[in-house]
């Protein structure tokens, strides 16, 4: 079992009101690097910030790291277009991988096909029996909406904000499609075109690794660890003609928001769905980080739902204990939460 | 506990008869990348070769990986001047890190000071309680001899070949010092000058990470995992004025070759010394890879001795079992050994 984290950036995240993955636009650019370092080392090392939402909810990387500290699993972070440097160990797929442009530009990911090919080769090279693939990319639910719309698929997506700015995202995507001279549904069966027009560089990375692992003949099982962003990757894979078994593992927070729609999407794209509840509403827990997750902040990301799905029965309380420790280490106060995106 | 692997290259390795880390010069350039992939994934993924000596002895990475599969430990591979690409996750310290030149050029590592500084910052940023730092760099014992000579320190070094070509190495180092207008001992107290003149890029990386970790005030314990190359790093650190406690952990194969000299060097540089015997001469083992290690091939590298030192009492037979499995996976035949540096 290996957890792969595709970490990248899109300028789409800088559009006002789109993302809560970081307290300010300047600091948000460091979120994927910081998430990678938290997963690898337990805290940010080179990144100048601990990602917390404007209201102080810590990044899902803190949850994924907590699971890792309890049960242990191998990690590989793939550079899928990081905007800022990191000292987390990262897999370098090649020079074509760069942060994505704003989807309202003509091309959001000009090298989508090359990224997919390199990621495919990498995925095919991995000897693991089981891969769990997550993402960290601020703005990723908007680009998920982008590719789903371009593919002509149903387009509900989740949000890292408690009030989902879905209408705003739809307007951004509509502008993006118009800028690329595309109608909704125009990219049916041509998923790399959809990414190139209105996607982000994490999408061809995750899809490529998944397709390569599934098609290599070594029988690797692939779980897409995430919510609506991974539904979009599943759609991309199915439109690419990949028909191997595929699973999605996400959190109860995503399911609480999108329940029936999520199940319908998984059925549509022929994915097994696993939903895991970390029990942050346990009555003895009053840590503000857990309270904020229960209030619908953050919800998912950095393979959180997939990591939680690996926790054996009876160990979730250990994960919650560890999450408190990790929050302490990250300077998230149990009563007041994190200070929005403070530098270190 | 984290095992850090500094992986790099020096053109010094291309000098005839210097190194056994790969069967041919062309394939040897891939050895550090392949070692990193074996440690990270269990087998080469992008590297086109499994490193085996000309007589078929597998890389020490296979031993270190076997230990990892038995006891589990976190790994971070640092790009310390890789000559060929790898898909192992690597830490990128910055653009100054490049393969080293032949020590017989004027400058072997022009950016030694910048590499040390970046590595220092990285080492200081790590939250680990304990770091074990290894290396993979063909030609590294010659550059170790280089810096020891430049520092004016005793200069016995080990070899990956059963018959150590020490006189050849000494001639290369003498030429290297002459090309840099230096007498032996000229770099006493100026270790970065020694590296710049006749060292390799792995040396300032390992020394920098070690110094940063030791000086960060977090109380990180540092073990240099290797033989004579790590003695050279210890010398560099002491000449840099780093006086914190330092340990060296190596294999019985190095100790068998250099016993008293190794102990004297550790005393001289105030290092604790741990020697671990993997028991490859156990009577029930007839695997040719073990036989070759017992005959004095390879001896050490890729943190092998340090990894072995982590194995709890009573688990070494499990490591030997696993080593046979890893050799199978790498295509090393139990009776015939590996075919020298075959491509995959």
């Amino acid at each position: 079992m290996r957890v792969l984290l595709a970490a990248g950036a899109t300028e789409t995240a800088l559009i006002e009101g789109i993302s809560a993955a970081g307290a300010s636009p300047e600091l948000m650019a460091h979120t994927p690097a910081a998430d990678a370092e938290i997963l690898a080392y337990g805290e940010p090392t080179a990144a100048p910030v601990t990602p917390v939402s404007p209201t102080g909810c810590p990044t899902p990387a803190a949850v994924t790291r907590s699971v890792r500290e309890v049960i242990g699993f191998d990690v590989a972070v793939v550079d899928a277009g990081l905007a800022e440097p990191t000292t987390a160990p990262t897999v370098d797929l090649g020079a074509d991988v760069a942060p994505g442009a704003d989807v309202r530009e003509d091309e959001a990911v000009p090298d989508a096909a090359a990224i997919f090919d390199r990621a495919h080769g990498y995925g095919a090279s991995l000897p693991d029996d089981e891969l769990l693939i997550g993402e960290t990319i601020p703005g990723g639910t908007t680009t998920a909406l982008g590719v789903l719309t371009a593919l002509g698929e149903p387009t509900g997506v989740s949000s890292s904000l408690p009030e989902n700015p879905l209408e705003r995202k739809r307007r951004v995507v509509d502008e993006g499609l118009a800028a690329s001279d595309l109608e909704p549904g125009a990219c049916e069966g041509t998923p790399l075109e959809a990414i190139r027009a209105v996607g982000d560089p994490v999408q061809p990375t995750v899809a490529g690794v998944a397709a390569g692992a599934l098609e290599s003949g070594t029988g690797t099982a692939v779980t897409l660890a995430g919510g609506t962003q991974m539904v979009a990757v599943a759609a991309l894979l199915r439109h690419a003609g990949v028909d191997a078994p595929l699973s999605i593992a996400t959190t109860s927070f995503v399911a609480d928001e999108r329940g029936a729609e999520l199940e319908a999407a998984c059925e549509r794209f022929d994915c097994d769905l696993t939903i895991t509840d970390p029990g942050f509403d346990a009555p003895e827990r009053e840590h503000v980080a857990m309270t904020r997750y229960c209030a619908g902040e953050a919800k998912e990301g950095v393979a959180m739902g997939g990591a939680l799905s690996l926790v054996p029965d009876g160990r979730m309380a250990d994960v919650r204990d560890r999450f408190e420790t990790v929050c302490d280490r990250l300077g998230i106060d149990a009563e007041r939460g994190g200070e929005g995106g403070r530098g270190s």
Side-chain angles (χ1 to χ4, degrees), chain A:
Chain A
M1 162 60 65
R2 178 179 309 278
V3 174
L4 267 173
L5 178 68
T10 165
E11 290 179 2
T12 308
L14 301 176
I15 301 170
E16 175 112 16
I18 288 284
S19 176
S24 73
E26 298 71 36
L27 291 173
M28 193 165 59
H30 293 282
T31 294
D35 283 346
E37 293 169 0
I38 291 168
L39 187 55
Y41 302 122
E43 61 187 65
T45 47
V49 65
T50 294
V52 293
S53 75
T55 57
C57 180
T59 169
V63 181
T64 307
R65 172 71 193 189
S66 301
V67 174
R68 189 175 187 209
E69 292 185 12
V70 171
I71 65 170
F73 50 74
D74 280 351
V75 164
V77 178
V78 180
D79 182 346
L82 286 164
E84 297 289 341
T86 178
T87 55
T90 54
V91 177
D92 180 4
L93 294 178
D96 294 324
V97 186
D102 187 323
V103 295
R104 296 171 305 178
E105 303 286 327
D106 330 347
E107 292 197 316
V109 189
D111 293 314
I115 298 170
F116 180 88
D117 285 349
R118 285 167 185 266
H120 191 285
Y122 172 63
S125 79
L126 292 173
D128 302 281
D129 296 330
E130 209 175 338
L131 280 184
L132 200 151
I133 314 178
E135 53 67 38
T136 168
I137 177 167
T141 56
T142 302
T143 45
L145 184 66
V147 297
L148 286 167
T149 306
L151 295 171
E153 294 291 352
T155 57
V157 297
S158 189
S159 172
S160 56
L161 295 163
E163 298 299 316
N164 190 349
L166 189 54
E167 283 317 307
R168 191 188 302 253
K169 292 179 185 178
R170 287 200 200 281
R171 279 200 305 278
V172 167
V173 167
D174 289 346
E175 281 184 59
L177 285 170
S180 305
D181 279 328
L182 292 172
E183 298 289 320
C187 298
E188 188 184 335
T190 56
L192 295 173
E193 284 304 305
I195 297 169
R196 187 159 75 161
V198 288
D200 68 55
V202 162
Q203 292 164 348
T205 305
V206 176
V209 172
L214 289 168
E215 293 173 351
S216 68
T218 56
T220 306
V222 173
T223 299
L224 301 174
T228 46
Q229 285 170 254
M230 289 305 174
V231 168
V233 171
L236 291 163
L237 285 165
R238 296 314 186 199
H239 278 257
V242 176
D243 59 4
L246 205 52
S247 299
I248 289 183
T250 191
T251 64
S252 53
F253 306 114
V254 170
D256 288 348
E257 189 192 35
R258 310 214 64 79
E261 201 174 276
L262 182 66
E263 280 174 35
C266 285
E267 195 154 321
R268 186 167 174 82
F269 304 126
D270 193 17
C271 295
D272 283 339
L273 174 63
T274 302
I275 293 165
T276 310
D277 182 346
F280 285 176
D281 58 351
E284 75 282 10
R285 304 283 165 174
E286 297 193 345
H287 198 287
V288 73
M290 298 193 205
T291 309
R292 287 187 172 144
Y293 272 90
C294 293
E297 284 195 58
K299 294 189 187 72
E300 173 61 280
V302 199
M304 174 177 164
L308 289 169
S309 76
L310 304 175
V311 179
D313 281 351
R315 303 292 307 276
M316 201 61 89
D318 295 343
V319 170
R320 293 189 292 268
D321 287 343
R322 185 58 70 132
F323 182 53
E324 295 187 357
T325 305
V326 170
C327 283
D328 275 355
R329 192 194 300 152
L330 296 176
I332 313 283
D333 187 273
E335 288 177 22
R336 289 183 301 112
E339 293 166 42
R342 83 204 174 289
S344 67

